[in-house]
Amino acid sequence: MENALRVNMYRTFSNDEKQTIKANDNDKQKKAKEYAILEYLGRVDKAKTVDIAAVIGLGPDRTRVILASMAKRNIIVAEGANRNRIYRLPQTIN
């Protein structure tokens, strides 16, 4: 590497290039993910976090936050603890 040439290139970003994240956009994305979760649970009955994460295209950590929020609002049911936790739709009484 005696005769090697090393070039470092840097790019500066102006404030104009930053993209503003709007609250409505995040809400729409969250609702879409929640709908996808409900649709998936309607097909498979029960699922683990990693399975749901793979379907909706998010990581397990972010998916877990959405699932906890949905369980807190009684949209879905969480059964088990930690690694054994599964999610399902609530049973309806006919």
Side-chain angles (χ1 to χ4, degrees), residues 9-51:
M9 299 179 76
Y10 299 97
R11 180 175 177 203
T12 60
F13 295 96
S14 69
N15 289 338
D16 296 336
E17 292 180 2
K18 292 181 182 176
Q19 186 175 6
T20 305
I21 298 172
K22 298 177 182 174
N24 290 342
D25 292 342
N26 280 340
D27 194 43
K28 287 178 186 176
Q29 291 173 356
K30 184 179 176 186
K31 294 288 183 195
K33 297 296 183 187
E34 287 182 356
Y35 181 78
I37 291 169
L38 292 173
E39 190 176 78
Y40 179 67
L41 289 176
R43 287 182 292 172
V44 297
D45 294 330
K46 297 179 181 181
K48 290 188 168 205
T49 303
V50 292
D51 300 328

Side-chain angles (χ1 to χ4, degrees), residues 33-90:
K33 297 296 183 187
E34 287 182 356
Y35 181 78
I37 291 169
L38 292 173
E39 190 176 78
Y40 179 67
L41 289 176
R43 287 182 292 172
V44 297
D45 294 330
K46 297 179 181 181
K48 290 188 168 205
T49 303
V50 292
D51 300 328
I52 296 169
V55 170
I56 66 172
L58 293 177
D61 292 338
R62 181 66 187 132
T63 302
R64 202 171 287 112
V65 170
I66 295 171
L67 290 169
S69 169
M70 292 175 72
K72 186 176 180 178
R73 292 180 284 150
N74 296 320
I75 297 172
I76 60 173
V77 176
E79 297 176 343
N82 300 327
R83 293 184 142 224
N84 295 325
R85 182 164 294 151
I86 59 168
Y87 296 91
R88 64 173 176 80
L89 294 176

